[in-house]
Amino acid sequence: MSSDTRNELIDAYFAALDESNPELARPALSDEFVYGSLAGQLEGFDGLADYITEHRSTTESTHDVQRRIHDDDVSVTVGVVTGTGPDGEPAEAAFCDVFEFDDADEAIEQITVYVNDS
């Protein structure tokens, strides 16, 4: 898979988060998709949709991806997310997301999210 194709899939995921619209990510996800975050391990599109609509600690977010690293097996993004925290106050956190793709390299199979909000 080319870096450009992976970036398009990754950008669909970040758009879904920042626009609070999980449907934007649906075409980018494999049928076996798994999402690992602070909310636990969620499966399939419905798991991601549930996370976006019910479990996010930062809403009205903007993800500023500062670095993308692609190798044969995974892609990694590093950046800062800003938005509104659960208390209604401005929130900011550094993140590192690890993306794994299906065998055909046409969809995201797994995302594992790491966050540092201190």
Side-chain angles (χ1 to χ4, degrees), residues 31-61:
D31 291 339
E32 294 80 28
F33 176 72
V34 176
Y35 190 69
S37 74
L38 296 175
Q41 188 164 320
L42 306 171
E43 295 186 14
F45 169 78
D46 290 339
L48 179 64
D50 186 52
Y51 173 78
I52 290 173
T53 59
E54 302 295 328
H55 298 292
R56 289 187 68 203
S57 60
T58 304
T59 58
E60 300 173 355
S61 66

Side-chain angles (χ1 to χ4, degrees), residues 3-92:
S3 296
D4 290 340
T5 302
R6 284 188 179 186
N7 284 333
E8 288 175 18
L9 297 171
I10 290 167
D11 289 345
Y13 160 71
F14 285 121
L17 291 174
D18 291 344
E19 296 183 33
S20 297
N21 182 354
E23 287 297 328
L24 296 174
R26 185 187 291 269
L29 307 178
S30 75
D31 291 339
E32 294 80 28
F33 176 72
V34 176
Y35 190 69
S37 74
L38 296 175
Q41 188 164 320
L42 306 171
E43 295 186 14
F45 169 78
D46 290 339
L48 179 64
D50 186 52
Y51 173 78
I52 290 173
T53 59
E54 302 295 328
H55 298 292
R56 289 187 68 203
S57 60
T58 304
T59 58
E60 300 173 355
S61 66
T62 300
H63 285 78
D64 178 18
V65 178
Q66 299 167 345
R67 188 167 189 196
R68 295 175 191 242
I69 303 165
H70 303 287
D71 79 1
D72 291 341
D73 298 319
V74 300
S75 293
V76 177
T77 59
V78 177
V80 175
V81 59
T82 56
T84 303
D87 58 1
E89 296 293 319
E92 181 176 290

